[in-house]
Amino acid sequence: MDFLESIKVKDGEVYNLFYHQQRVNATFKNFFKGKKVLNLEKIISSLEIPQKGLYKLRVVYNDNKCFTEFVPYEINPINSLRLVTDNSIEYSFKSLDRNCLNNLKKEITEDEIIIVKNGEITDCSYANLAFWDGKEWFTPKSFLLNGTCRQRLLSEGKIKETKINAQSIFKYKKIGLINAMIDLEELVLDISKVSV
């Protein structure tokens, strides 16, 4: 099985490597016990890092191989989201196999999905979620993938974790998408853009 890290690189600076390495460590502990853990810092030090612009550094790996590439990145605009329920979905490790997420998107005409599992809000297909109540940002406790940006924002106190079910999202004013490439408040929609 192949896994993936998507690391933000902007104007030559590599972002949040600590959290990406933690996730790689957890992946090796779970899937490749006893194998030498991939060292992201060592891999990146051997790469020619673009010095201008925004890039996604894709690191695709398993226990015995690693592939890297820099891909120019722009945030795709999202104008509509739809709640989609899947009570059996599992995506707790960032696997290259995203069929469970992509298949849910086939059911909608909106730009993006919000995945509901057992009545609880989790993530969208490529990002964690944050909800603005007019004063603070909150992120669901019932996430699928504990993303690197989510972890960093929690540790910085910029978002708070709380239980958010499918019925309660409309008490919030805005919804934000966050991932390694998209920071808090970079991609935000009014909650009215969510369909049930």
Side-chain angles (χ1 to χ4, degrees):
M1 184 182 288
D2 288 340
F3 295 90
L4 170 70
E5 287 299 316
S6 300
I7 302 170
K8 179 179 178 178
V9 177
K10 185 176 182 182
D11 297 334
E13 183 181 347
V14 178
Y15 283 73
N16 304 316
L17 202 52
F18 170 78
Y19 294 99
H20 288 287
Q21 186 64 57
Q22 278 193 323
R23 185 161 61 193
V24 168
N25 295 350
T27 302
F28 267 78
K29 186 177 180 183
N30 195 76
F31 292 93
F32 310 128
K33 280 188 178 76
K35 298 280 188 166
K36 187 176 181 195
V37 177
L38 196 72
N39 184 323
L40 291 175
E41 193 171 346
K42 188 175 177 185
I43 288 163
I44 290 168
S45 70
S46 70
L47 302 176
E48 196 171 316
I49 297 170
Q51 295 301 303
K52 289 233 180 283
L54 178 62
Y55 290 84
K56 178 194 286 187
L57 168 56
R58 294 181 81 246
V59 181
V60 178
Y61 68 95
N62 58 32
D63 59 333
N64 59 26
K65 70 173 187 191
C66 174
F67 165 80
T68 61
E69 66 175 339
F70 289 98
V71 181
Y73 188 81
E74 283 184 24
I75 296 174
N76 286 328
I78 298 289
N79 297 304
S80 58
L81 303 109
R82 177 169 291 278
L83 296 182
V84 175
T85 298
D86 185 335
N87 292 331
S88 61
I89 192 166
E90 287 293 334
Y91 192 73
S92 54
F93 290 90
K94 195 169 173 66
S95 164
L96 203 57
D97 179 359
R98 294 174 41 85
N99 285 335
C100 63
L101 301 168
N102 295 337
N103 289 340
L104 291 176
K105 284 191 76 173
K106 292 176 185 173
E107 303 174 13
I108 64 159
T109 55
E110 289 78 10
D111 295 334
E112 186 50 58
I113 56 174
I114 296 174
I115 302 162
V116 181
K117 182 175 180 179
N118 301 320
E120 303 293 314
I121 298 295
T122 63
D123 300 331
C124 72
S125 72
Y126 70 98
N128 293 126
L129 299 172
F131 294 87
W132 175 252
D133 70 355
K135 293 180 182 176
E136 296 179 289
W137 285 100
F138 294 90
T139 191
K141 278 186 175 180
S142 46
F143 57 87
L144 293 177
L145 181 72
N146 192 9
T148 57
C149 182
R150 180 184 188 277
Q151 291 175 58
R152 176 179 57 79
L153 292 169
L154 282 167
S155 71
E156 291 172 352
K158 292 181 179 174
I159 61 175
K160 293 180 179 177
E161 205 176 41
T162 192
K163 184 175 177 177
I164 303 176
N165 62 39
Q167 292 75 38
S168 70
I169 66 166
F170 295 101
K171 75 177 188 182
Y172 294 96
K173 298 180 186 305
K174 296 186 182 298
I175 179 171
L177 281 62
I178 53 173
N179 65 22
M181 300 301 300
I182 305 169
D183 210 340
L184 189 63
E185 299 189 45
E186 284 190 316
L187 182 52
V188 178
L189 290 84
D190 192 273
I191 205 71
S192 64
K193 301 293 185 182
V194 179
S195 306
V196 294

